[in-house]
Amino acid sequence: MSEDATAVTPEAGPRLEAAAVIDNRGIVTAWSDTAERLLGYDSAESVGKPVWDVLAAPLPSTAQNSWAARKGWTAAAEATHREGHHLVLTVRAQPVTGAGGEPLWIITATVPRGFEGLAGTSDQDWARRRLSIINEAGLRIGSTLDLNRTAEELAEVATDHFADFVTVDLLDAVLHGEEIGPVPPAGRLVFRRAAQKSVLEGCPEAVVPIGGLHTYPESSPPGHALATGRSFLYHVDEATLRWWAAGSPSRARSATTFGIHSVLLVPLRARGINLGMTFICRHRTADPFDQDDLLLAEDLASRAAVCVDNARRYTRERATAVTLQRNLLPQRTPEQTALEVATRYIPAGSRAGIGGDWYDVIPLAGARVAMVVGDVVGHGVQASATMGRLRTAVRTLADVDLQPDELLTRLDDVVIRLGQEDSAAHDAGQRSVDGEISATCLYAVYDPVSCQCTLASAGHLLPVVVTRDGRVEFPDMPVGPPLGVGGLPFETTTFALSEGSVLMLYTDGLAEAPDRDITAGQNLIEDVLGRPSQSLEETCDLLLHTLVQKHPTDDIALLLARTRALDATQVATWDLADDPAVVADARRHASSMLADWGLEDASFVTELVVSELVTNAIRYGGAPIQLRLIRDASLICEVSDGSGTAPHLRRARDFDEGGRGLMLVAHLTDRWGARQTPAGKIIWAEQILPPNGTL
């Protein structure tokens, strides 16, 4: 078995290919010296003529009249030199812009397998051909940040020019974002087949399928190549077949069956990191590989390895960003009884980068539930981090129980302050991006007692409502400015949602696509939601299947909520006079209602809470005063009055006569709080009920 390696650096030299500049009609406007040498026609004979006449190559007829539609067009062709030499060519068309701004095209015709029939081929011609192939590889390899596609491009360039069969294997650890140093650790030579290409369909047959895992013994030539970083040229003999058979008998059978007689084994390595291996074989071409072919293969592999490493690093960084994004989103829907909820988050495709879309479901006091969906402008980790900050701010403001319009006003202030802080950090050189922040947000609150939905929008798409009878409606409501603009008001809209209705909140990535505007997307949404009733999870999947492309250009956040209503027997309400004498009546009403609900064990605490809250409403509030008990997953006591002044906890001094009531309420109940209403305020306290509904 022969083992040869080379590290020769190619000499610089001009490209040897036929190059012509043409206009949109296909008329030659410029003709290169290398084109004259390759085809035998000088500029005087070529300029002003149709390129397909001078090139004498069978270009598609569509190319003659629609060059603009042939961007990146590549095809195999044949041509005849002026002196009768037969040429096999690879013809390409690429767009350029002329000095005057007019659209032009560069048409290149390259000899892919040596200058067949062209007299005078020399070492210099070979060097020029190699540099031409390397230049082409620079244009074709690494067009995307997809690992598998980059491997496919390497295989395609090699088979287009000097190989009959190429396989590209990447280390499985590398595909998972790990870095394998110059010397692979023992037991780590596990490869995944990333690409394979043959000049003949199905020949040789795929011993390892695309995406399949396989190994080579560490003592085998692939293991030796990875350990040393050296490339090897093999002329297939008995020794070669033996080590192939040691790794996989099917490889040896395939090599024998299809007559593989010459092999280049080239490791893929970049920045001192082992990435994989490429096998470049000949079985159809009679001439074996030589040192010039090995040098060319190393150049191609070196370029491809850099692109693979870039794709690997991007894939790892994107996976990190996606993980960050998903961890900043709700990990599970909180338990509540007002809504049945289904959610989805789809990150943008690899070219677009991770965005800042988010959704949230937040239980509120009084059995109500808030639903949020938002979209931070921009992509990348910075957008994800901003999304996390805004989601935290929304949850904090929701705990204060603000009205939707007031919450968005406060959130607008938060976005402006974050932008100012980021701008200051950018000016100080601590950030590489400017500090402008903008986002859209829709905040909605559903009350299962009144079956009312109250919502406000900050530049966000309006929700979609599906009624119980299957009608799909887009509520008509005002839309405020995006967050971060400042100084402009937001408006609240309230409408009824009967039990069993579905409310859909989403970001624009679902409806909008490069080939579809928002209106067309909303029409598709209406069509999907108008179909016969099905589970929310199935509806989410159907929406994504219908509207989302394979590689979406923007993040997608989707939230579907089916409303539930509390039964009238779960709510008890009493209007009270503005008179201290009614406190005893309020306690009796509460005790009687708890008895009807089978919650006698909660009477002592509930009566104390009712007594304190009603007394405070009479003493510090004013009419109208109302007491309401709600039995849900918890027992909720609410007292409303006509004053907007909210109470606060304080520690009573030793000789103070008051100041201990709310302290007792906070100590004896699980949660308590206050929220503003258009008519005043509501003070509430909540006692969590065990799963069996009794205390």
Side-chain angles (χ1 to χ4, degrees), residues 164-509:
D164 293 335
F165 179 64
V166 177
T167 65
V168 181
D169 296 326
L170 298 179
L171 286 165
D172 189 55
V174 171
L175 290 171
H176 288 86
E178 302 177 26
E179 294 189 352
I180 306 300
V183 180
R188 300 299 294 276
L189 294 184
V190 178
F191 294 87
R192 189 178 294 275
R193 179 61 50 85
Q196 56 189 20
K197 178 74 173 177
S198 174
V199 294
L200 297 179
E201 184 69 28
C203 177
E205 63 185 10
V207 176
V208 179
I210 298 294
L213 290 173
H214 64 108
T215 61
Y216 294 107
E218 294 179 26
S219 59
S220 67
H224 187 47
L226 280 185
T228 63
R230 297 174 59 195
S231 303
F232 297 93
L233 187 159
Y234 295 100
H235 300 299
V236 177
D237 52 21
E238 291 298 325
T240 307
L241 292 175
R242 277 198 301 273
W243 73 254
W244 260 342
S248 170
S250 58
R251 289 195 187 105
R253 287 196 301 270
S254 179
T256 302
T257 301
F258 294 100
I260 294 177
H261 60 85
S262 190
V263 177
L264 300 177
L265 176 58
V266 185
L268 299 176
R269 178 179 292 195
R271 299 187 305 111
I273 299 172
N274 282 304
L275 301 171
M277 186 78 57
T278 179
F279 280 86
I280 301 175
C281 309
R282 278 184 176 171
H283 61 85
R284 186 186 181 207
T285 303
D287 295 334
F289 290 122
D290 57 22
Q291 287 297 313
D292 288 330
D293 294 316
L294 184 60
L295 178 62
L296 175 59
E298 288 181 330
D299 286 334
L300 295 180
S302 176
R303 289 175 177 267
V306 172
C307 297
V308 167
D309 187 50
N310 289 339
R312 178 193 65 82
R313 293 162 67 187
Y314 174 80
T315 300
R316 183 179 62 183
E317 292 171 3
R318 184 174 186 275
T320 301
V322 170
T323 301
L324 170 65
Q325 174 82 337
R326 291 193 182 278
N327 286 338
L328 290 174
L329 291 170
Q331 300 304 299
R332 61 181 182 84
T333 302
E335 294 183 3
Q336 43 78 36
T337 59
L339 298 170
E340 175 193 353
V341 176
T343 60
R344 294 290 188 275
Y345 169 74
I346 305 295
S350 59
R351 292 187 179 182
I354 301 304
D357 292 16
W358 90 92
Y359 63 84
D360 211 346
V361 178
I362 309 170
L364 301 177
R368 297 167 305 132
V369 179
M371 295 163 283
V372 192
V373 66
D375 184 358
V376 175
V377 175
H379 293 86
V381 175
Q382 184 67 24
S384 294
T386 301
M387 177 274 290
R389 297 158 86 181
L390 294 187
R391 177 173 176 250
T392 301
V394 170
R395 293 189 73 91
T396 302
L397 294 171
D399 284 341
V400 183
D401 226 331
L402 300 174
Q403 290 292 311
D405 57 341
E406 187 175 353
L407 182 142
L408 292 181
T409 299
R410 301 285 184 87
L411 188 62
D412 188 37
D413 294 337
V414 170
V415 172
I416 293 173
R417 286 198 300 272
L418 291 177
Q420 292 171 346
E421 293 172 3
D422 287 355
S423 293
H426 171 65
D427 294 339
Q430 300 173 11
R431 294 256 173 93
S432 59
V433 295
D434 61 47
E436 293 187 3
I437 296 177
S438 181
T440 65
C441 183
L442 180 68
Y443 184 82
V445 176
Y446 173 69
D447 186 345
V449 177
S450 64
C451 292
Q452 296 284 314
C453 182
T454 304
L455 66 164
S457 171
H460 201 84
L461 292 173
L462 299 181
V464 186
V465 175
V466 184
T467 62
R468 293 188 62 177
D469 57 6
R471 289 182 292 108
V472 181
E473 301 174 349
F474 293 84
D476 185 14
M477 59 173 286
V479 177
L483 300 173
V485 174
L488 297 175
F490 300 98
E491 297 184 45
T492 294
T493 300
T494 300
F495 53 83
L497 279 179
S498 59
E499 183 177 10
S501 300
V502 174
L503 185 68
M504 172 179 165
L505 280 62
Y506 61 102
T507 55
D508 57 0

Side-chain angles (χ1 to χ4, degrees), residues 569-570 590-607 629-636 687-695:
T569 59
Q570 295 178 263
S591 180
S592 175
M593 195 71 252
L594 293 181
D596 291 343
W597 286 340
L599 299 177
E600 292 88 349
D601 292 344
S603 294
F604 175 77
V605 173
T606 304
E607 287 184 25
L629 295 181
I630 301 173
R631 180 187 177 182
D632 190 28
S634 59
L635 177 61
I636 303 166
Q687 302 172 68
I688 302 299
L689 297 177
N692 60 7
T694 61
L695 291 171

Side-chain angles (χ1 to χ4, degrees), residues 575-592:
D575 293 323
L576 303 177
D578 188 5
D579 183 350
V582 303
V583 175
D585 294 334
R587 288 197 299 267
R588 284 194 297 272
H589 291 320
S591 180
S592 175

Side-chain angles (χ1 to χ4, degrees), residues 365 399 401 613 637 647 665 669 671-675 682-686:
D399 284 341
D401 226 331
L613 298 186
C637 175
V665 171
T669 61
R671 294 195 309 154
W672 80 278
R675 68 177 184 270
I682 294 176
I683 312 298
W684 56 270
E686 181 177 314

